[in-house]
Coordinates of all heavy atoms in Angstrom, one line a residue:
Y13 N 23.3 0.8 3.8 CA 23.3 -0.4 3.1 C 22.2 -1.3 3.6 O 21.3 -1.8 2.8 CB 24.6 -1.2 3.2 CG 24.5 -2.6 3.0 CD1 24.1 -3.2 1.7 CD2 24.8 -3.6 3.9 CE1 23.9 -4.5 1.5 CE2 24.6 -5.0 3.7 CZ 24.2 -5.4 2.4 OH 24.1 -6.7 2.2
S14 N 22.2 -1.6 4.9 CA 21.2 -2.5 5.5 C 19.8 -1.9 5.4 O 18.8 -2.6 5.2 CB 21.5 -2.9 6.9 OG 21.6 -1.7 7.7
A15 N 19.6 -0.6 5.4 CA 18.4 0.1 5.2 C 17.8 -0.2 3.8 O 16.6 -0.4 3.6 CB 18.4 1.6 5.6
S16 N 18.7 -0.1 2.8 CA 18.2 -0.3 1.5 C 17.9 -1.8 1.2 O 16.9 -2.1 0.5 CB 19.3 0.1 0.5 OG 20.4 -0.8 0.6
K17 N 18.5 -2.7 1.9 CA 18.1 -4.1 1.8 C 16.8 -4.4 2.6 O 16.0 -5.2 2.1 CB 19.3 -5.0 2.3 CG 20.6 -5.0 1.5 CD 20.4 -5.6 0.2 CE 20.3 -7.1 0.2 NZ 20.2 -7.7 -1.2
A18 N 16.7 -3.7 3.7 CA 15.4 -3.9 4.4 C 14.2 -3.4 3.6 O 13.2 -4.0 3.6 CB 15.5 -3.2 5.8
A19 N 14.4 -2.2 3.0 CA 13.4 -1.7 2.1 C 13.0 -2.7 1.0 O 11.8 -2.9 0.7 CB 13.8 -0.3 1.5
A20 N 14.0 -3.2 0.4 CA 13.8 -4.2 -0.7 C 13.1 -5.5 -0.1 O 12.1 -6.0 -0.8 CB 15.1 -4.7 -1.3
D21 N 13.4 -6.0 1.1 CA 12.8 -7.1 1.7 C 11.3 -6.8 1.8 O 10.4 -7.6 1.5 CB 13.4 -7.4 3.1 CG 14.7 -8.1 3.0 OD1 15.3 -8.2 2.0 OD2 15.0 -8.8 4.0
L22 N 11.0 -5.6 2.4 CA 9.6 -5.3 2.6 C 8.8 -5.1 1.3 O 7.6 -5.5 1.2 CB 9.5 -4.0 3.4 CG 10.1 -4.1 4.9 CD1 10.0 -2.7 5.5 CD2 9.3 -5.1 5.7
L23 N 9.5 -4.6 0.3 CA 8.9 -4.5 -1.0 C 8.5 -5.9 -1.6 O 7.4 -6.1 -2.1 CB 9.8 -3.8 -2.0 CG 9.2 -3.2 -3.2 CD1 8.1 -2.3 -3.0 CD2 10.3 -2.5 -4.0
V24 N 9.5 -6.9 -1.4 CA 9.2 -8.2 -1.9 C 8.0 -8.8 -1.2 O 7.1 -9.4 -1.8 CB 10.5 -9.1 -1.7 CG1 10.2 -10.6 -2.0 CG2 11.6 -8.6 -2.7
L25 N 8.0 -8.7 0.1 CA 6.9 -9.3 0.9 C 5.6 -8.6 0.6 O 4.6 -9.2 0.6 CB 7.2 -9.2 2.4 CG 8.5 -10.0 2.9 CD1 8.8 -9.8 4.3 CD2 8.2 -11.5 2.6
S26 N 5.6 -7.3 0.3 CA 4.4 -6.6 -0.1 C 3.8 -7.1 -1.4 O 2.6 -7.2 -1.5 CB 4.6 -5.1 -0.1 OG 5.3 -4.7 -1.3
Y27 N 4.7 -7.5 -2.4 CA 4.2 -8.0 -3.6 C 3.6 -9.4 -3.4 O 2.6 -9.7 -4.1 CB 5.4 -8.1 -4.6 CG 5.4 -6.8 -5.5 CD1 5.7 -5.5 -4.9 CD2 5.2 -6.8 -6.8 CE1 5.7 -4.4 -5.7 CE2 5.2 -5.7 -7.7 CZ 5.5 -4.5 -7.1 OH 5.5 -3.4 -7.9
A28 N 4.2 -10.2 -2.5 CA 3.7 -11.5 -2.2 C 2.3 -11.4 -1.6 O 1.3 -12.1 -2.0 CB 4.6 -12.3 -1.3
N29 N 2.1 -10.4 -0.8 CA 0.9 -10.2 0.0 C -0.2 -9.5 -0.9 O -1.4 -9.9 -0.9 CB 1.1 -9.4 1.2 CG -0.1 -9.1 2.1 OD1 -0.7 -10.1 2.6 ND2 -0.6 -7.9 2.1
T30 N 0.2 -8.5 -1.6 CA -0.8 -7.7 -2.4 C -1.2 -8.3 -3.7 O -2.4 -8.4 -4.0 CB -0.2 -6.3 -2.6 OG1 0.2 -5.7 -1.4 CG2 -1.3 -5.4 -3.3
F31 N -0.2 -8.8 -4.4 CA -0.5 -9.3 -5.8 C -0.4 -10.8 -5.9 O -0.6 -11.4 -6.9 CB 0.6 -8.7 -6.7 CG 0.6 -7.2 -6.7 CD1 1.7 -6.5 -6.3 CD2 -0.5 -6.5 -7.1 CE1 1.7 -5.1 -6.2 CE2 -0.5 -5.1 -7.1 CZ 0.6 -4.4 -6.7
G32 N 0.1 -11.5 -4.8 CA 0.3 -12.9 -4.9 C 1.5 -13.3 -5.7 O 1.6 -14.4 -6.2
T33 N 2.4 -12.4 -5.9 CA 3.6 -12.7 -6.6 C 4.4 -13.8 -5.9 O 4.7 -13.7 -4.7 CB 4.5 -11.4 -6.7 OG1 3.7 -10.3 -7.2 CG2 5.7 -11.6 -7.6
P34 N 4.8 -14.8 -6.6 CA 5.5 -16.0 -6.0 C 6.9 -15.7 -5.7 O 7.8 -15.9 -6.5 CB 5.3 -17.1 -7.0 CG 5.2 -16.4 -8.4 CD 4.5 -15.0 -8.1
C35 N 7.2 -15.1 -4.5 CA 8.5 -14.8 -4.1 C 8.8 -15.2 -2.7 O 7.9 -15.4 -1.9 CB 8.8 -13.3 -4.3 SG 7.5 -12.2 -3.7
M36 N 10.1 -15.2 -2.4 CA 10.6 -15.6 -1.1 C 11.9 -14.9 -0.9 O 12.5 -14.3 -1.8 CB 10.8 -17.1 -0.9 CG 11.7 -17.7 -1.9 SD 11.8 -19.5 -1.8 CE 10.2 -20.0 -2.4
I37 N 12.4 -14.9 0.4 CA 13.7 -14.2 0.7 C 14.6 -15.1 1.5 O 14.1 -15.8 2.4 CB 13.3 -12.9 1.6 CG1 12.5 -11.9 0.8 CG2 14.6 -12.3 2.1 CD1 12.0 -10.8 1.6

């Protein structure tokens, strides 16, 4: 469970960094 959430967290942050997608956690 926590591994899947961590993967999602990193994916969200990667979109903010790579594409400038306006997201937060």
